[in-house]
Amino acid sequence: MRRVLGNVAVTVFAAAAVFMAAGTASADDSTFSVAGPVGKDGAKSVAQCPAGSHLIGGGYRSGPAFTNGGSPADFVDSNGPSTETPNAWEAKLHVYDVRAIALCERDRA
């Protein structure tokens, strides 16, 4: 399930994480988000949590794409934990650009 908020499409459970600036730590400094590179023209984007942290959620950012009649012109091919890259979130749109966002939590010592 996803929703479009202005210019940002996110998975509902990860909405709060996506609105944080990439790399910005939370008040307790244990959670933070990491943005992957932009996947252009239908390419996949992968955001990986760095060493010393683990993935707890994620989402994606993309601009809205509509036809002249107002119908959605693109759809999500993937949006979830990566099956190829450990500790990472991946997102892919069918046609347009997308940026994956990983929500990470620092490992406890």
Side-chain angles (χ1 to χ4, degrees):
M1 181 171 164
R2 71 181 180 102
R3 62 182 176 177
V4 176
L5 300 175
N7 217 15
V8 179
V10 297
T11 54
V12 174
F13 72 90
V18 172
F19 290 118
M20 292 181 358
T24 301
S26 66
D28 68 0
D29 235 12
S30 65
T31 61
F32 58 97
S33 61
V34 175
V38 173
K40 295 211 175 263
D41 301 323
K44 176 174 54 175
S45 174
V46 177
Q48 187 173 28
C49 294
S53 66
H54 57 277
L55 182 72
I56 60 173
Y60 65 94
R61 291 184 198 163
S62 71
F66 299 102
T67 65
N68 289 336
S71 297
D74 204 356
F75 57 90
V76 179
D77 288 334
S78 68
N79 180 37
S82 176
T83 58
E84 299 170 358
T85 305
N87 211 25
W89 193 270
E90 78 174 41
K92 181 182 180 306
L93 297 185
H94 196 66
V95 177
Y96 293 104
D97 300 351
V98 66
R99 181 183 302 263
I101 308 294
L103 179 59
C104 309
E105 181 177 55
R106 295 188 202 297
D107 294 338
R108 295 179 189 205

